[in-house]
Amino acid sequence: MSGLKYLSGFGNEFSSEDPRCPGSLPEGQNNPQVCPYGLYAEQLSGSAFTCPRPTNKRSWLYRILPSVRHKPYTAMHCGNLTEKWDEVEPDPNQLRWMPFTIPKSSEKKVDFVTGLHTLCGAGDTKSRNGIGIHMFTCNTSMVDRCFNNSDGDFLIVPQQGEILITTEFGKMMVEPNEICVIQQGMRFSVNVFGETRGYVLEVYGAHFELPDLGPIGANGLANPRDFLTPVAWYEDREVATGYTVINKYQGKLFSSQQSFSPFNVVAWHGNYTPYKYNLDNFMVINCVAFDHADPSIFTVLTAKSSRPGVAMADFVIFPPRWGVADHTFRPPYYHRNCMSEFMGLIKGHYEAKEEGFQPGGGTLHSMMTPHGPDRDCFEKSSTALLKPERVADGTMAFMFESSFSMAVTKWGLETCQRLDKSYYQCWEPLRKHFDPNWRPSKQ
């Protein structure tokens, strides 16, 4: 699928039509009495109609049949996808998970939806204020099944295996070290090409946006031009055995049957779209004098809360870069934070914990829970010769940071059997260096 085409830009007003049907986009209006090619006009709204223009999100889809033509939704088994944040007692400890197990296709066929497992989260879908963090582990493609999330946006981070995502807007190939965002209400299906694993950050009540740059200026971090939106592609396909539409609604799953493919959008226009981004394109800003800058300088996308400067969730990466700070302990400092920090690793070795924290695993440092470098990192970096050095070459770690106090699910603490109960021991060897007789050296 290397021939896939995309439109460039973040939050742009796009328009696209499948080249098989030239002129399928109506001219000069959204909802003509009769659409070209006998299509149906359907609006997908991602914001209230009355939102200010800069935050007003909607797209018009011109489709062979409207999405309203389906049988009633019925409840289905949710598996390990949940919004029950009180199923186990709270746990303020530092938590680390070994790489999550991917089921073997020879033992059980698992697609993207059945392979979703909720690890932690907070808030409430009904009041439209909260987040969820999920893992997906799967080995087979979705066949005559699609998924849409009525609760919020999915930010998907593949870690092992590329995924081909078919959406109502077109197709996207998303590989490890890329991310994609499927916004609220958008239907999509996931094809995989073997054993596949990744992370999902779900937000309800806000959409992801680019962080403000402030004194950085006009350029830097994730530049808008590097975000890619798929071009229109449709299939006019009847499914005699029934096509299943799976809807995540108020934290639970429901399924509906229809007799045709939902990917029947011949043309569309608007600013409410799915999109993807290659993390290699991130323009790193870093300290070039002294001290360790806060990780907020590595924010790719943010979902803002109602409090200025406080995010429901930030997506932050730790990409390859130069470390040049003088007179400085360069790795991340010891820290207690009023935010919750979930970290994942796509590839390589994270600088503050080179052992134990592995690709496909994760850590959670809940709000005000102490964390920081392990003993080996501290000792090594405290005595290192401070010459310019490359940091994180061949590595991509990331963080889902949130102002919510996260509850871990029963699956995360018990069922998955991937919790590393020895995690706390990486700090046990930290030893006292205090010397009450120390005096500044005379120059």
Side-chain angles (χ1 to χ4, degrees), residues 288-359:
V288 294
F290 59 87
D291 281 354
H292 182 100
D294 295 329
S296 47
I297 60 171
F298 302 122
T299 302
V300 180
L301 291 167
T302 184
K304 294 179 179 177
S305 75
S306 58
R307 290 175 288 165
V310 179
M312 287 175 57
D314 285 332
F315 174 62
V316 178
I317 63 173
F318 301 95
R321 58 201 183 275
W322 281 96
V324 299
D326 290 323
H327 314 295
T328 295
F329 181 78
R330 289 179 178 175
Y333 42 79
Y334 293 100
H335 191 39
R336 289 179 294 161
N337 191 356
C338 65
M339 308 283 273
S340 298
E341 303 178 17
F342 174 86
M343 285 196 63
L345 187 59
I346 299 171
K347 60 182 179 178
H349 301 276
Y350 181 58
E351 60 179 311
K353 294 181 184 65
E354 294 194 3
E355 302 298 329
F357 181 40
Q358 300 174 37

Side-chain angles (χ1 to χ4, degrees), residues 162-177:
E162 59 189 9
I163 55 177
L164 174 63
I165 302 181
T166 302
T167 77
E168 296 171 278
F169 295 78
K171 293 174 178 280
M172 299 186 293
M173 183 68 84
V174 189
E175 302 176 2
N177 219 50

Side-chain angles (χ1 to χ4, degrees), residues 231-246:
V231 298
W233 175 88
Y234 78 91
E235 59 178 5
D236 182 11
R237 183 166 65 92
E238 297 290 324
V239 185
T241 55
Y243 197 104
T244 303
V245 178
I246 301 169

Side-chain angles (χ1 to χ4, degrees), residues 50-312:
T50 51
C51 273
R53 189 179 288 266
T55 57
N56 207 300
K57 297 181 179 296
R58 59 85 187 95
S59 286
W60 281 91
L61 312 177
Y62 300 92
R63 55 196 322 151
I64 296 167
L65 281 171
S67 58
V68 71
R69 205 189 104 171
H70 65 84
K71 298 293 193 291
Y73 284 108
T74 57
M76 61 180 287
H77 181 56
C78 295
N80 292 307
L81 191 68
T82 185
E83 193 192 302
K84 295 178 181 178
W85 308 130
D86 57 356
E87 60 182 357
V88 291
E89 289 297 308
D91 190 338
N93 287 300
Q94 303 95 345
L95 301 177
R96 180 167 70 188
W97 290 269
M98 306 302 287
F100 291 93
T101 304
I102 307 173
K104 301 290 184 184
S105 58
S106 58
E107 299 171 2
K108 184 180 181 182
K109 300 288 187 184
V110 179
D111 68 14
F112 176 83
V113 175
T114 53
L116 281 171
H117 308 273
T118 305
L119 195 58
C120 57
D124 176 50
T125 53
K126 299 184 191 71
S127 61
R128 311 290 302 119
N129 187 42
I131 72 167
I133 293 175
H134 318 280
M135 297 298 302
F136 67 90
T137 52
C138 53
N139 55 37
T140 193
S141 298
M142 296 172 66
V143 178
D144 291 338
R145 282 158 56 97
C146 74
F147 181 76
N148 80 268
N149 186 358
S150 295
D151 292 336
D153 291 10
F154 264 11
L155 188 158
I156 301 173
V157 185
Q159 183 272 318
Q160 177 178 319
E162 59 189 9
I163 55 177
L164 174 63
I165 302 181
T166 302
T167 77
E168 296 171 278
F169 295 78
K171 293 174 178 280
M172 299 186 293
M173 183 68 84
V174 189
E175 302 176 2
N177 219 50
E178 294 183 315
I179 62 166
C180 71
V181 173
I182 311 292
Q183 302 195 75
Q184 181 187 9
M186 296 176 179
R187 294 179 174 180
F188 67 100
S189 184
V190 177
N191 279 37
V192 301
F193 307 92
E195 296 179 358
T196 305
R197 177 172 56 205
Y199 309 82
V200 178
L201 171 60
E202 179 185 16
V203 297
Y204 9 104
H207 294 299
F208 290 103
E209 54 188 277
L210 295 175
D212 295 326
L213 292 177
I216 292 173
N219 308 290
L221 309 188
N223 289 310
R225 65 176 295 192
D226 294 320
F227 288 82
L228 302 177
T229 290
V231 298
W233 175 88
Y234 78 91
E235 59 178 5
D236 182 11
R237 183 166 65 92
E238 297 290 324
V239 185
T241 55
Y243 197 104
T244 303
V245 178
I246 301 169
N247 181 15
K248 181 177 180 291
Y249 176 75
Q250 293 187 7
K252 299 187 181 301
L253 295 183
F254 299 83
S255 67
S256 167
Q257 296 293 311
Q258 59 188 52
S259 61
F260 58 95
S261 168
F263 304 120
N264 62 356
V265 177
V266 177
W268 59 266
H269 77 86
N271 65 353
Y272 189 55
T273 69
Y275 54 88
K276 74 169 195 168
Y277 175 75
N278 189 326
L279 301 180
D280 283 339
N281 291 327
F282 189 80
M283 179 185 160
V284 180
I285 304 294
N286 205 1
C287 172
V288 294
F290 59 87
D291 281 354
H292 182 100
D294 295 329
S296 47
I297 60 171
F298 302 122
T299 302
V300 180
L301 291 167
T302 184
K304 294 179 179 177
S305 75
S306 58
R307 290 175 288 165
V310 179
M312 287 175 57

